[in-house]
Amino acid sequence: MSAQTFNQALEAETIKRLDAAIAGQKDTLAAGQLPDHSTYRYHAGVIKGLEDAKVILQEALSDIQRV
């Protein structure tokens, strides 16, 4: 496996795991079984953080591929 192929596989797996983490957090919110508003806000914050991390990662990978 070449380094480029390995890096592409690693990038794809990272994005896949971020998507899974985001989906898991959204499922938690959708279940509606959170004990209080602060817990809801916590999960919403986690989702926002994961989504931001995904965008930053994708932008960085795009920048690297252009070089």
Side-chain angles (χ1 to χ4, degrees):
M1 176 184 287
S2 73
Q4 183 177 9
T5 303
F6 175 79
N7 286 342
Q8 288 172 340
L10 182 60
E11 292 163 9
E13 182 64 21
T14 301
I15 297 297
K16 179 179 151 186
R17 289 181 184 216
L18 278 170
D19 285 337
I22 292 166
Q25 290 294 318
K26 286 182 176 180
D27 287 347
T28 299
L29 287 180
Q33 298 178 359
L34 299 174
D36 57 37
H37 185 67
S38 64
T39 304
Y40 178 88
R41 289 183 56 207
Y42 168 80
H43 284 281
V46 169
I47 291 169
K48 176 71 171 126
L50 289 169
E51 290 173 338
D52 289 350
K54 180 180 172 184
V55 169
I56 291 167
L57 176 62
Q58 289 173 320
E59 289 173 353
L61 293 173
S62 178
D63 289 346
I64 289 169
Q65 290 172 354
R66 279 189 250 147
V67 173

